[in-house]
Amino acid sequence: MDLQPIHDGGAGLTKRVGDRERSDVCDELAAHFAAGRLTGEELDDRLARAMRAQTVVDLIELVSDLPRRVPTTPAPAPGPQPGPIPVDRTLAWNGFDIICLLLLIGGLMVSGLLLLVAGAWEPAAFVAALVGGTAAAVGGAAAMHLGHRAMARHDHRVASRR
């Protein structure tokens, strides 16, 4: 609260105060007590008088012999920075991922069908289909991994040009 007289011929000193102004003075008195400028008895007396104060003059009398406290305002928190929102593409599914996944599922289904058919005719063909299906699945996973690496290198090159 600004307890300086208002420049209107001294009439500001007789203006009535409210709970907010009383509370501000009580906070200031508590700060002076914490700094060792007031004793406990002085603080109690001034707090009681502050709560009964009716005009600006009543409040000024309570703090006039104390150094003026400079109000501390916290530094404003930095706001959001303008610019594009970064997108984490490591978890996003793109078209290439979906195509590779569909090819992998399709390959596993075909190899499973071959396993069923080959197993019914010849046990050796069953083993061959099992090995072939496993090789197809591993090959699909490897192709997907290599495709991801190629896309990451491309993205890195594009980002470094900016």
Side-chain angles (χ1 to χ4, degrees):
M1 175 182 150
D2 186 13
L3 296 177
Q4 292 299 316
I6 299 171
H7 298 288
D8 58 359
L13 294 174
T14 59
K15 286 194 176 183
R16 296 188 65 86
V17 294
D19 291 338
R20 182 168 185 217
E21 292 85 5
R22 291 183 195 100
S23 177
D24 288 346
V25 169
C26 289
D27 290 343
E28 187 169 341
L29 290 170
H32 287 296
F33 172 73
R37 295 186 189 100
L38 294 173
T39 64
E41 295 82 26
E42 289 174 315
L43 176 66
D44 290 340
D45 176 56
R46 290 184 190 210
L47 288 175
R49 288 172 46 202
M51 295 312 294
R52 291 189 309 266
Q54 293 187 4
T55 64
V56 172
V57 149
D58 296 337
L59 293 178
I60 288 176
E61 288 175 357
L62 298 174
V63 294
S64 62
D65 62 332
L66 299 169
R68 187 157 180 170
R69 190 172 72 145
V70 178
T72 57
T73 56
Q81 299 298 321
I85 298 172
V87 177
D88 184 10
R89 295 188 59 205
T90 57
L91 300 178
W93 284 67
N94 56 27
F96 181 75
D97 293 335
I98 294 171
I99 290 171
C100 287
L101 183 63
L102 291 175
L103 287 174
L104 180 63
I105 291 171
L108 289 173
M109 289 176 69
V110 168
S111 61
L113 182 64
L114 288 174
L115 280 172
L116 289 175
V117 171
W121 282 333
E122 180 80 33
F126 175 79
V127 172
L130 182 64
V131 170
T134 303
V138 169
M144 190 170 176
H145 175 71
L146 291 174
H148 267 289
R149 287 182 51 111
M151 287 176 60
R153 282 194 303 272
H154 173 73
D155 290 346
H156 180 68
R157 274 189 246 121
V158 169
S160 66
R161 289 182 193 154
R162 291 182 187 174

